[in-house]
């Protein structure tokens, strides 16, 4: 039974839920405008660690979505926050882009190639053999191994691209050290996003397009979950998993006008 809440707090995955390959998913702009007009707390989440919230805001604006920087939560930000709580003012060797290095700098971390506390692996457009080799040697020498997210592939117009999880597997194989993944499906990312908006899991829901990341992490963080069929997981494939979302809908368009009662009877 779904608990009744006077005010739901929303967490959204980005790709496949609000946008798809740089194009707005119909109804996403209307839904976000409704949430902002009502003052309903929400966060947009992404496992992609390449971009800063400012970069992502600009990207979303180009699709027609007006989302403030402070309402965007990335695996890079979650990773930086996690490391700050674990080892404040530490050091890291980073394989990644500006989204990750900026997040780490902002929490007071120092980037170094010499005896770092952590090797931090994130998404990057051009994985360097030299950088991966250095990461392997540092991990073998005792650096703790952190990865922003476990996604093995990412999308592109030409087809799938190797992503953080695939490169993490390479480093793990060479070192015998398994990384700690901070991003989805780790519920840590959900909880850190909820803290950002001062929300409690009992009155929050996760809207995503993937059963194995969005729905799983929402479930494990104690949230209600909504699976949209506008991205990766379909209605049939969703049935293959041993867990189920609270509700399955076609797209976020089906939430427009229902944000206060997303689990009520549908027309």
């Amino acid at each position: 039974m779904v608990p009744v809440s006077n005010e739901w707090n929303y967490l959204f995955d980005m790709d496949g839920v609000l946008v798809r390959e740089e194009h707005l998913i119909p109804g996403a702009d209307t839904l976000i405008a409704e949430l902002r007009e009502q003052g309903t707390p929400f966060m947009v989440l992404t496992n992609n660690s390449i971009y800063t919230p400012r970069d992502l805001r600009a990207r979303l604006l180009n699709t027609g979505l007006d989302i403030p920087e402070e309402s965007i939560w990335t695996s890079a930000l979650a990773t930086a926050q996690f490391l700050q709580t674990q080892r404040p003012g530490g050091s890291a060797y980073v394989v990644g882009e500006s989204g990750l290095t900026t997040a780490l700098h902002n929490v007071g971390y120092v980037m170094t190639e010499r005896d770092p506390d952590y090797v931090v692996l994130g998404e990057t457009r051009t994985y360097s053999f030299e950088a991966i080799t250095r990461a392997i040697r540092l991990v073998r020498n005792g650096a703790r191994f952190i990865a922003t997210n476990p996604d093995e592939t990412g999308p592109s117009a030409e087809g799938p691209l190797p992503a953080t999880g695939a490169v993490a597997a390479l480093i793990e194989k060479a070192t015998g050290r398994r990384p700690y993944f901070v991003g989805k499906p780790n519920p840590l990312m959900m909880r850190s996003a909820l803290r950002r908006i001062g929300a409690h899991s009992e009155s929050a829901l996760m809207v995503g397009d993937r059963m194995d990341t969005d729905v799983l992490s929402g479930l494990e963080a104690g949230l209600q979950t909504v699976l949209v069929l506008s991205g990766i997981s379909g209605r049939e494939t969703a049935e293959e998993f041993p867990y189920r979302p609270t509700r399955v809908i076609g797209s976020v368009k089906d939430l427009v006008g229902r944000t206060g009662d997303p689990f009520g009877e549908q027309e």
Side-chain angles (χ1 to χ4, degrees):
M1 183 176 178
V2 179
V4 176
S5 173
N6 292 327
E7 181 182 82
W8 287 99
N9 301 275
Y10 282 78
L11 301 183
F12 294 97
D13 181 45
M14 186 166 66
D15 293 300
V17 177
L18 301 176
V19 294
R20 186 193 301 114
E21 296 181 359
E22 307 300 325
H23 296 288
L24 177 77
I25 288 179
D29 51 347
T30 306
L31 178 62
I32 294 299
E34 179 179 315
L35 293 174
R36 296 189 68 180
E37 182 179 344
Q38 295 174 348
T40 300
F42 72 91
M43 291 287 282
V44 175
L45 280 61
T46 177
N47 260 358
N48 191 319
S49 64
I50 290 179
Y51 304 105
T52 66
R54 183 174 298 178
D55 297 330
L56 290 171
R57 170 168 167 74
R59 173 193 167 192
L60 291 169
L61 275 173
N62 285 335
T63 71
L65 275 178
D66 185 7
I67 297 176
E69 284 182 45
E70 59 270 20
S71 295
I72 298 173
W73 190 242
T74 71
S75 63
L77 294 173
T79 298
Q81 185 180 86
F82 171 72
L83 293 185
Q84 182 187 33
T85 62
Q86 292 289 301
R87 196 171 291 268
S91 60
Y93 175 71
V94 177
V95 180
E97 300 281 345
S98 61
L100 182 55
T101 55
T102 299
L104 288 167
H105 275 137
N106 286 344
V107 299
Y109 257 63
V110 172
M111 308 297 110
T112 182
E113 298 181 357
R114 182 170 297 180
D115 194 27
D117 296 316
Y118 296 97
V119 165
V120 183
L121 173 68
E123 211 74 58
T124 178
R125 303 178 188 86
T126 53
Y127 285 108
S128 156
F129 182 79
E130 180 182 352
I132 292 171
T133 299
R134 186 178 297 276
I136 288 169
R137 291 171 179 168
L138 290 171
V139 171
R140 287 174 67 98
N141 287 336
R144 300 152 189 87
F145 187 18
I146 299 287
T148 56
N149 62 290
D151 301 61
E152 296 168 352
T153 60
S156 78
E158 293 78 27
L161 298 170
T164 306
V167 180
L170 186 159
I171 297 174
E172 179 182 348
K173 191 71 173 178
T175 62
R177 301 281 184 84
R178 189 174 185 178
Y180 180 70
F181 293 105
V182 176
K184 298 177 295 181
N186 189 340
L188 180 72
M189 188 166 174
M190 303 290 103
R191 296 191 183 106
S192 61
L194 289 176
R195 284 195 295 271
R196 291 274 291 190
I197 57 177
H200 193 278
S201 59
E202 290 184 357
S203 59
L205 58 94
M206 176 66 198
V207 183
D209 70 312
R210 292 188 63 145
M211 288 290 293
D212 57 346
T213 54
D214 304 321
V215 172
L216 178 58
S217 57
L219 179 70
E220 293 189 345
L223 283 65
Q224 302 302 316
T225 56
V226 175
L227 176 70
V228 294
L229 303 178
S230 53
I232 299 296
S233 294
R235 195 178 296 274
E236 294 76 20
T237 56
E239 290 295 328
E240 298 172 2
F241 289 83
Y243 49 87
R244 302 184 68 184
T246 313
R247 168 150 274 166
V248 179
I249 60 176
S251 74
V252 289
K253 185 178 181 180
D254 296 327
L255 290 172
V256 175
R258 298 180 175 275
T259 54
D261 186 21
F263 303 111
E265 290 298 321
Q266 303 293 296
E267 295 176 358

